[in-house]
Amino acid sequence: MSGARYHPGPLSATIIDGRELAQQARETIARRVAALRERGVEAALDAVIVGSEDNAARMYADRQASTCDELGIGYRLHELKPGPDTGPDTGIDQRGIIKKIRELNADDRVSAIMIHMPLPGGVDEDRVKAVIDPDKDVEGVTPANIGNVLYGKTSLAPCTGLAALRLVESTGLALAGKRAVIIGSSATVGRPLAAMMMARDATVISCNKFTWGLEKLARSADVLIAAAGVPDLVPADWVKPGAVVIDVGINRVEGADGQMKTVGDVAFDQAKRVAGWITPVPGGVGPMTVAALLDNVVDAAERHADAEDD
């Protein structure tokens, strides 16, 4: 790290409030859901959860059900428990999970499918995701939908990448000709986000935590996106004055008081004195990711309804 060279600048970043922007998105989603209802169409999400031992997944499913209810979106949780398809090591056999997904694919009443993670040990998550009908894949995790992003088709794109892009766009910054540096190259965040930004004529540099000269590259960015999953990876002196900084990282660390807390990949308290715009953690990308998922649910319902009308 080279924090010794950092000197606070005159800028005070505008905090990009993901919660407020997500609420605005939810209001739009609710109007679209109401318009579908007037056509006799229900926007609904069919979610699959495997087992019930992961409390975080269970809590997320409960919050998801509550949010969908508030917006008028139907929510059906399909819980798979040990039974005839139980395997000796996985608790739930992979064939049983795939069978359920194929049933949902074939059901004309279903327009939106997602799988709660994690899946039991021994289950090939990529194989399971690949089975989902791309037209119903509202998390944007199938190979077909991730591939479509490369062609500039952002509908049903991966939700976290889509959320990060919308947070950038909320600043009013025109991406054409700007340099965007993305730290993190995962298949569902970094890589699709790079493609979406290139489609908007940004000059994109894709990096990871091992990239040589990462500090210099980060400091050159008009838009800096940290998605490496490393707490406080990006100090203030990696930030170009006035840059847009989007922190995708969600890391649990022990605070000075011994209590666990959630932090991002960016040293927020210092970086906000240099950046022009910055997202907090929590309260930035997270709420917008949920909004992006629900937006995809309504997109899928609208397309499904339009296909039925043809």
Side-chain angles (χ1 to χ4, degrees):
M1 298 294 181
S2 52
R5 295 201 302 273
Y6 163 62
H7 299 286
L11 296 175
S12 178
T14 297
I15 307 302
I16 306 173
D17 189 339
R19 292 190 177 98
E20 180 180 346
L21 291 168
Q23 180 56 38
Q24 294 172 13
R26 284 163 55 138
E27 291 169 2
T28 300
I29 290 168
R31 289 193 293 270
R32 293 168 63 198
V33 169
L36 280 169
R37 192 179 301 115
E38 289 179 1
R39 296 170 57 185
V41 176
E42 179 194 34
L45 173 60
D46 283 77
V48 176
I49 188 168
V50 183
S52 58
E53 295 182 0
D54 190 279
N55 290 331
R58 172 65 59 185
M59 289 174 62
Y60 180 55
D62 290 343
R63 288 197 302 269
Q64 199 173 64
S66 176
T67 301
C68 285
D69 184 62
E70 291 173 10
L71 299 179
I73 296 172
Y75 186 77
R76 296 181 286 263
L77 183 64
H78 305 267
E79 184 167 359
L80 303 184
K81 297 181 179 180
D85 291 320
T86 299
D89 300 317
T90 66
I92 304 291
D93 189 89
Q94 179 169 302
R95 289 173 298 178
I97 302 171
I98 291 176
K99 178 182 177 183
K100 169 54 69 173
I101 294 171
R102 286 179 171 152
E103 288 174 358
L104 295 173
N105 286 344
D107 190 337
D108 287 339
R109 298 168 299 176
V110 174
S111 59
I113 301 170
M114 68 155 290
I115 312 294
H116 283 288
M117 297 294 170
L119 294 177
V123 174
D124 184 341
E125 293 186 355
D126 290 336
R127 169 64 179 145
V128 168
K129 292 174 183 177
V131 174
I132 303 171
D133 182 340
D135 289 333
K136 301 183 180 186
D137 167 34
V138 289
E139 289 188 295
V141 295
T142 59
N145 280 332
I146 291 175
N148 279 337
V149 172
L150 296 176
Y151 294 94
K153 298 179 180 179
T154 55
S155 184
L156 302 191
C159 298
T160 302
L162 196 55
L165 178 63
R166 288 174 178 170
L167 289 166
V168 173
E169 292 177 333
S170 76
T171 69
L173 179 71
L175 282 171
K178 299 297 190 296
R179 173 175 286 198
V181 174
I182 302 174
I183 306 174
S185 55
S186 71
T188 56
V189 182
R191 278 178 270 176
L193 179 55
M196 286 188 278
M197 297 187 82
M198 283 189 284
R200 287 156 177 79
D201 295 319
T203 299
V204 179
I205 299 175
S206 177
C207 310
N208 58 62
K209 61 186 178 182
F210 304 110
T211 298
W212 184 86
L214 183 57
E215 172 186 351
K216 184 177 180 181
L217 289 171
R219 198 182 295 117
S220 73
D222 301 301
V223 178
L224 178 60
I225 297 174
V230 180
D232 294 338
L233 172 67
V234 179
D237 67 345
W238 285 24
V239 178
K240 178 180 179 179
V244 175
V245 179
I246 307 296
D247 193 347
V248 182
I250 300 177
N251 310 290
R252 294 290 288 169
V253 300
E254 185 176 328
D257 59 359
Q259 300 297 311
M260 298 303 291
K261 63 178 183 178
T262 301
V263 301
D265 289 358
V266 177
F268 177 81
D269 288 339
Q270 292 74 41
K272 70 181 181 181
R273 301 168 66 185
V274 182
W277 296 267
I278 190 169
T279 59
V281 176
V285 174
M288 280 300 290
T289 298
V290 176
L293 171 66
L294 298 176
D295 196 39
N296 280 352
V297 169
V298 180
D299 277 353
E302 289 170 342
R303 285 210 300 267
H304 186 72
D306 291 342
E308 290 289 311
D309 291 342
D310 288 344

